[in-house]
Amino acid sequence: MCYLAYFVGVSFQSGGIVHYSIDPGRYGKLVVIGAVIFIIGAIASDLTETESRLRTSGPLGFATFIVSSLILSLGVGMIGGAVQHFLDIPTRAPYLIGMGLVLSAIGFHGRFRPHKHATEMVVSIALVGLLALPIVAVLRSYSTRLPEATAEHSDGHGDSHGDEAPDAAKDAAKDARKKTASVPATNNIPPTESTKPKTSPAPNSVGTTPSTVPASDGHRDHAH
């Protein structure tokens, strides 16, 4: 469950960071939810260890643990989201990957403390930062060779392509209205005396012609 919280929290954050520009309110909440899930997993994982930091540290140690876990999750989320959607956001992905590497190094050293001396920790983080510079430069150079159409993801997942269908539908509707307007609407014109069908009245039993046509016959003729 602890590792599940790790991965689910990071996946929430990676998706929220990459899609943040589309809907800041919605995806900002996703980043916060992912951070909370990750921190819960980090706390639970630490408490299950034999040498728990949270059990032996005071309030300052607890705060450092929480902040470093948050930074670590943000860094890993940046890397995961940028790698997954690199072709969709080629102008931002290299910088997200570079910042993610640095933040991950900071969060990792603050969370796990692999070095005993602060100088070693600073040197390790600095080396990761120096490594991130050429990585960002290479990825930035590669992104400039990609088609501009792939950068539509940050503006709404390529909505510019989706606008073509509504425009085509509007044009088709206009053409249909023009054709309808050009056809004379003869079906709605009430029949006049000259256009009514002339029928000879049927003789009655006496052999004379009735003076009027039955209402039912006239109703059926009008319907036709």
Side-chain angles (χ1 to χ4, degrees):
M1 294 300 296
C2 294
Y3 279 99
L4 181 62
Y6 278 150
F7 295 124
V8 171
V10 169
S11 64
F12 274 33
Q13 287 182 303
S14 63
I17 291 171
V18 172
H19 300 92
Y20 182 80
S21 60
I22 299 175
D23 190 347
R26 175 183 178 183
Y27 292 105
K29 294 178 182 177
L30 198 64
V31 174
V32 174
I33 293 174
V36 172
I37 295 175
F38 186 91
I39 291 175
I40 292 175
I43 294 174
S45 177
D46 182 83
L47 293 177
T48 57
E49 295 177 0
T50 305
E51 298 180 359
S52 175
R53 285 185 54 196
L54 295 178
R55 292 175 181 174
T56 58
S57 61
L60 181 59
F62 180 81
T64 303
F65 180 90
I66 297 298
V67 172
S68 60
S69 299
L70 178 61
I71 294 175
L72 176 62
S73 64
L74 286 174
V76 177
M78 286 182 179
I79 297 173
V83 171
Q84 181 181 1
H85 294 278
F86 188 89
L87 295 180
D88 300 318
I89 51 171
T91 57
R92 292 190 296 143
Y95 300 106
L96 287 175
I97 293 174
M99 289 187 296
L101 288 172
V102 176
L103 290 179
S104 298
I106 295 173
F108 174 77
H109 285 82
R111 165 72 173 81
F112 296 100
R113 300 291 180 90
H115 303 292
K116 296 181 180 180
H117 303 286
T119 305
E120 296 177 349
M121 182 179 65
V122 173
V123 172
S124 299
I125 296 174
L127 289 176
V128 175
L130 292 176
L131 178 64
L133 291 178
I135 293 177
V136 173
V138 172
L139 293 177
R140 187 69 184 93
S141 176
Y142 171 73
S143 65
T144 56
R145 302 177 185 179
L146 297 176
E148 295 182 358
T150 59
E152 297 293 337
H153 183 86
S154 58
D155 298 330
H157 286 282
D159 291 340
S160 59
H161 299 286
D163 294 339
E164 297 177 359
D167 293 339
K170 291 179 182 178
D171 296 338
K174 289 181 181 179
D175 295 338
R177 285 195 296 268
K178 290 180 181 179
K179 292 180 181 179
T180 306
S182 61
V183 177
T186 57
N187 297 331
N188 297 329
I189 301 177
T192 59
E193 293 297 332
S194 60
T195 58
K196 288 182 179 180
K198 297 180 180 180
T199 56
S200 56
N204 55 14
S205 58
V206 188
T208 61
T209 338
S211 57
T212 59
V213 180
S216 60
D217 294 341
H219 180 71
R220 285 197 299 269
D221 292 341
H222 179 69
H224 289 293

